[in-house]
Amino acid sequence: MKIELLVSDWCQSCHQAEKIWREVVEEKDVEFAVLDMSQPEGKALVSQLRLKTIPALVIDGELKGIGVQSLAEARSLVEAAPSKAKSDMQHAGISLSTDNRYFAIASMIYLMLSGMGLIINGALLSDGPARPVALHLFTVGFVLSLIYALGAHMLPRFTGNPIQMGKWPWAQMGLLHLGLLGYVAGYLVGLHVIIVAGGVFIWLSLFVFSLRIWPVLWPKASNNDSKIIDLVSQ
């Protein structure tokens, strides 16, 4: 069973509809996608079904509902679908997930800290110990945290593929913070071994992010592709 929820960023009720359907699809083994009507997939669906109102619910290519369904109504619509085995793979919606929201908040904090470091150090071109600290807080803390937040949110939306959630984004976040702490402490006290340890933690954080993003980048096989593969195998 394929469920598509057509939404838009400016639609207030769409957020509530998405919240309800995300709870439902956690219980059922269905294919679920949130489509923004401003994106190509969403535009195609709007044109195909001649939709004029959102949020709109499409199940297996047929329009099944307009507006926000209650939790009971949503469950009844997918009652025939098998129960879902527990998995960390989730589709991205129009709202930031909790982990991506924390990454975005962390990026702003690191931006402020890097600015404070430059002010305390006196000047950007100064050779004091706060200069490399400030630069790493900016390049690794601010920039990388923002890439983590937006990459894990936008790429799954653009490709329509789910991304690994659960403990993985939190491990990625913890490794990033530990790495930055190592950088800051190492530069301030002048211990190269601590700086290297910080670099290792940040590399591990990047590695986890790469493992999460890699499957998102590749398109899923269509039904026609599956049929061709089956015919060849036979």
Side-chain angles (χ1 to χ4, degrees):
M1 182 180 289
K2 182 178 181 180
I3 301 172
E4 295 168 301
L5 184 65
L6 189 68
V7 299
S8 179
D9 289 333
W10 49 261
C11 169
Q12 295 299 320
S13 59
C14 291
H15 295 273
Q16 180 63 21
E18 181 187 348
K19 181 179 179 181
I20 290 172
W21 276 102
R22 284 200 176 279
E23 183 174 346
V24 172
V25 298
E26 285 298 311
E27 305 167 358
K28 293 291 186 176
D29 187 12
V30 295
E31 184 180 347
F32 178 63
V34 179
L35 303 179
D36 194 316
M37 63 180 297
S38 64
Q39 295 178 356
E41 297 86 352
K43 288 180 179 178
L45 198 59
V46 168
S47 176
Q48 176 187 340
L49 299 176
R50 299 180 180 179
L51 297 173
K52 297 185 181 297
T53 306
I54 55 172
L57 176 69
V58 179
I59 299 180
D60 292 334
E62 296 183 10
L63 181 63
K64 293 294 185 179
I66 295 290
V68 181
Q69 291 78 36
S70 67
L71 188 58
E73 290 172 338
R75 282 175 172 152
S76 67
L77 286 169
V78 295
E79 188 176 4
S83 297
K84 184 178 184 179
K86 195 169 183 180
S87 173
D88 288 335
M89 300 298 289
Q90 295 181 19
H91 287 274
I94 55 176
S95 301
L96 282 175
S97 61
T98 302
D99 56 288
N100 288 333
R101 195 179 303 275
Y102 279 126
F103 273 125
I105 293 172
S107 71
M108 297 300 105
I109 293 174
Y110 283 128
L111 179 62
M112 295 299 102
L113 289 175
S114 64
M116 289 173 58
L118 292 176
I119 293 172
I120 292 171
N121 206 49
L124 180 62
L125 299 178
S126 172
D127 291 328
R131 179 174 178 262
V133 168
L135 292 178
H136 280 86
L137 285 173
F138 179 80
T139 56
V140 178
F142 168 63
V143 176
L144 192 54
S145 292
L146 202 57
I147 290 173
Y148 282 171
L150 298 181
H153 177 68
M154 297 177 69
L155 288 175
R157 290 192 66 192
F158 290 155
T159 62
N161 293 330
I163 187 170
Q164 194 81 26
M165 297 295 287
K167 62 186 178 183
W168 297 105
W170 302 108
Q172 177 185 322
M173 185 181 298
L175 289 167
L176 174 65
H177 294 331
L178 283 174
L180 276 169
L181 183 62
Y183 269 149
V184 171
Y187 278 114
L188 291 179
V189 301
L191 286 178
H192 184 69
V193 65
I194 301 179
I195 298 173
V196 172
V200 171
F201 281 122
I202 290 173
W203 182 88
L204 289 172
S205 176
L206 287 165
F207 182 70
V208 172
F209 180 64
S210 299
L211 288 179
R212 295 178 63 217
I213 289 295
W214 186 258
V216 174
L217 302 178
W218 308 107
K220 294 176 290 186
S222 65
N223 291 335
N224 290 335
D225 293 337
S226 300
K227 291 177 182 177
I228 292 173
I229 292 171
D230 289 340
L231 288 172
V232 171
S233 63
Q234 291 173 1

